[in-house]
């Protein structure tokens, strides 16, 4: 059966050059403190939360990873809504400013699975795939 309703337009989050530069500097420094400073100075910037979540998850700090990812996910939802997203529709991985939100969603799914929140893990994994299957594939292959 073919869907005759048009899909909503893709949502693209705005570029934040200042936050991007701060995150690049944190990556160069390579410390949790540097990444935490980016999140503190740019709390709506999901990429900082995603970096903190991924680092915590890699260090087997699953609850911390879950908390960081959930924060970045919710901040990302706020930004998506401000950018015209109506709760569904594509959030393209190819648009770099979207990647922080999508990375948060990915880590949130993995951390939820690790702490036994199977429903949450499945919901987040499906939401990621619904946003952009390319994101789900790219993140799963890392």
């Amino acid at each position: 059966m073919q869907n005759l309703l048009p899909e909503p337009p893709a949502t693209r989050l705005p570029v934040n050059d200042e936050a991007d530069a701060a995150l690049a500097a944190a990556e160069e420094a390579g410390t949790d403190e540097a990444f935490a400073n980016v999140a503190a100075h740019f709390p709506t910037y999901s990429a900082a939360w995603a970096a903190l979540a991924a680092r915590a998850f890699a260090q087997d700090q699953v609850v911390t990873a879950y908390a960081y990812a959930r924060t970045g996910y919710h901040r990302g939802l706020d930004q998506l809504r401000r950018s015209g997203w109506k709760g569904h529709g594509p959030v393209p991985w190819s648009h770099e400013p979207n990647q922080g939100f999508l990375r948060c969603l990915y880590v949130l799914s993995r951390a939820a699975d690790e702490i036994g929140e199977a429903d949450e893990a499945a919901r987040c994994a499906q939401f990621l795939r619904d946003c952009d299957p390319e994101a789900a594939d790219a993140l799963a292959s890392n």
Side-chain angles (χ1 to χ4, degrees), residues 113-129:
D113 187 56
E114 287 289 319
I115 63 172
E117 289 285 333
D119 290 347
E120 174 83 348
R123 183 186 67 76
C124 290
Q126 185 59 55
F127 186 17
L128 178 62
R129 188 152 292 285

Side-chain angles (χ1 to χ4, degrees), residues 40-60:
H41 287 93
F42 303 96
T44 63
Y45 182 62
S46 290
W49 296 106
L52 286 166
R55 290 173 65 83
F57 195 85
Q59 297 167 9
D60 292 323

Side-chain angles (χ1 to χ4, degrees), residues 102-115:
L102 297 167
R103 287 178 191 280
C104 284
L105 194 49
Y106 174 72
V107 176
L108 183 57
S109 176
R110 292 190 65 206
D113 187 56
E114 287 289 319
I115 63 172

Side-chain angles (χ1 to χ4, degrees), residues 11-14 42-50 68-85 87 91 97-105 127 131:
T11 303
R12 290 176 174 79
L13 293 175
F42 303 96
T44 63
Y45 182 62
S46 290
W49 296 106
Y68 285 142
R70 177 148 302 281
T71 300
Y73 162 77
H74 281 288
R75 298 313 295 260
L77 285 176
D78 292 343
Q79 290 229 330
L80 285 169
R81 288 182 188 110
R82 280 194 295 278
S83 295
W85 187 73
V91 180
N98 290 352
Q99 291 181 9
F101 168 74
L102 297 167
R103 287 178 191 280
C104 284
L105 194 49
F127 186 17
C131 284

